[in-house]
Amino acid sequence: KGPEITYLKGDATQPRGVGARLVVQIVNDRGLTWGAGFALAARKRWPHLQSQFTEWVTSSRAEFRLGATQFVVVEPSLVVANLVAQHGYGPSPTPRLRYGALASCLEKVRAYASANQLTVHMPRIGCGQAGGSWGVIGEMVTETLCRAGLEVTVYDPPSAVAHVPAQQSLLFA
């Protein structure tokens, strides 16, 4: 069956544990500069990550599309995966996350992490600016990464309030 996702309160730009680690983030298919969400935090933590992403986009336009994934070594034993799974940016009446693109990106993450013996770390990808559902995304992460034997840690900000779904009414008739 494989390991389950481990949930922690903390900063995904400072993944916990020892050994080689892979931090996963979702980026959009339109912007060259990250200005919001986790990508902004990643840009501040690793400025060269943003510049390598911009260089990839401008030099490899044919590769840069939904479903593409870029792996960048940001520190010894630490790699960041940029998953192009969000279409556009800014306000939108519908989610910008593209689940098909995310599935393709997660397969690339699985292959890379397995080949390099990396543990996988991420915020709740796709749920912020991209507007996706963690119920769906979490299942995709479990099926693609955990079932392949990879250890996955998901970080919630320390200030995050746990979402408790509303209780359905109980019928005692």
Side-chain angles (χ1 to χ4, degrees):
K1 191 177 177 187
E4 298 294 321
I5 296 172
T6 300
Y7 292 90
L8 298 176
K9 290 237 181 210
D11 181 356
T13 66
Q14 297 179 356
R16 298 180 192 170
V18 296
R21 292 155 291 153
L22 175 66
V23 174
V24 175
Q25 71 166 339
I26 289 182
V27 297
N28 72 70
D29 65 348
R30 295 286 188 255
L32 294 179
T33 303
W34 306 325
F38 182 78
L40 176 60
R43 184 181 95 192
K44 288 179 178 178
R45 175 99 169 125
W46 305 292
H48 66 284
L49 175 64
Q50 171 72 71
S51 60
Q52 288 191 18
F53 174 78
T54 303
E55 182 181 323
W56 176 55
V57 172
T58 56
S59 67
S60 304
R61 280 281 184 202
E63 287 179 31
F64 182 67
R65 64 188 176 285
L66 287 168
T69 304
Q70 179 195 39
F71 297 94
V72 179
V73 176
V74 293
E75 295 175 9
S77 299
L78 185 61
V79 178
V80 173
N82 297 315
L83 282 57
V84 185
Q86 176 181 323
H87 181 59
Y89 59 91
S92 174
T94 58
R96 292 190 174 279
L97 181 68
R98 298 300 183 256
Y99 290 102
L102 178 58
S104 176
C105 292
L106 287 174
E107 284 295 333
K108 293 173 182 122
V109 167
R110 181 199 49 74
Y112 188 91
S114 294
N116 294 285
Q117 300 176 343
L118 304 169
T119 57
V120 180
H121 304 261
M122 65 184 75
R124 289 188 191 240
I125 58 172
C127 296
Q129 304 293 317
S133 164
W134 184 253
V136 174
I137 298 164
E139 188 172 320
M140 293 172 71
V141 169
T142 297
E143 289 300 317
T144 307
L145 305 179
C146 296
R147 296 294 179 261
L150 295 169
E151 292 181 33
V152 177
T153 304
V154 173
Y155 297 82
D156 287 313
S159 61
V161 177
H163 173 71
V164 179
Q167 171 72 37
Q168 293 183 358
S169 63
L170 300 175
L171 303 174
F172 292 101

